[in-house]
Amino acid sequence: MPERVSAPSPAPLPDRSASPQELFRHGLRLLLAKDIPGWVGLWAEDGVMEFPFAPPGWPRRLEGRPAIAAYMAPYPDRIDLHAFPEEDLRIHRTDDPRTIVAEMRGVGRLVGTGAPFDMTYIAVVTVEHGRITSYRDYWNPLAVQETGVTLAGSNR
């Protein structure tokens, strides 16, 4: 039986009226600090995380903060993120003030092998009442298949 991961309470933000851009940048800082409970705490209780390009055996949709917490819990044990280089980070506003599109690159190393990790992402993120309600993560599944990376919720 898989270990149940409890979802943390929402993490305090520097300002409860943080814009989606500010919330997203705060989330990146939490990921770099390996503060997964803090990052998950930025989510609405009923938030949805989607992976439109997920390969077979990987989750395509996570519903609710507990599911997101369970998926993200092993992340620091698998990928040691070092940076989201500022020159590769672009946050675009949309017609909907609650939604942003972020282009970014995460760099670091794979914990199990020490091999370099370098992944480009595009994320469509919606924030309501200071919490993430929707996050569509467009990442390259071929990059992790080649390296053998697994996260919670995948059958790999």
Side-chain angles (χ1 to χ4, degrees):
M1 179 172 212
E3 178 182 348
R4 182 158 174 83
V5 177
S6 61
S9 299
L13 299 174
D15 179 350
R16 276 294 278 171
S17 63
S19 70
Q21 298 89 328
E22 292 167 329
L23 187 71
F24 187 80
R25 286 180 180 278
H26 182 67
L28 294 180
R29 288 190 295 273
L30 290 170
L31 289 174
L32 290 173
K34 297 166 185 36
D35 183 355
I36 300 304
W39 185 83
V40 173
L42 299 177
W43 284 77
E45 187 63 38
D46 60 351
V48 174
M49 188 170 198
E50 297 176 281
F51 306 96
F53 297 147
W58 286 66
R60 292 185 58 83
R61 181 178 173 93
L62 303 170
E63 295 184 26
R65 193 183 304 145
I68 294 163
Y71 177 81
M72 290 296 293
Y75 196 91
D77 295 329
R78 307 242 179 3
I79 300 171
D80 179 17
L81 282 174
H82 297 164
F84 292 102
E86 191 64 33
E87 64 270 13
D88 296 320
L89 178 61
R90 293 176 189 86
I91 300 176
H92 308 278
R93 295 178 186 193
T94 68
D95 288 342
D96 180 348
R98 301 169 307 153
T99 301
I100 59 169
V101 175
E103 298 176 74
M104 62 187 168
R105 183 173 147 242
V107 295
R109 69 175 183 86
L110 299 176
V111 174
T113 65
F117 176 82
D118 194 331
M119 177 78 75
T120 301
Y121 304 84
I122 294 177
V124 179
V125 182
T126 300
V127 173
E128 295 181 39
H129 308 294
R131 296 288 175 249
I132 300 168
T133 58
S134 174
Y135 192 118
R136 283 189 312 277
D137 193 354
Y138 295 89
W139 57 280
N140 178 3
L142 296 176
V144 294
Q145 286 178 319
E146 291 169 5
T147 61
V149 170
T150 60
L151 293 176
S154 74
N155 295 330
R156 302 200 161 279

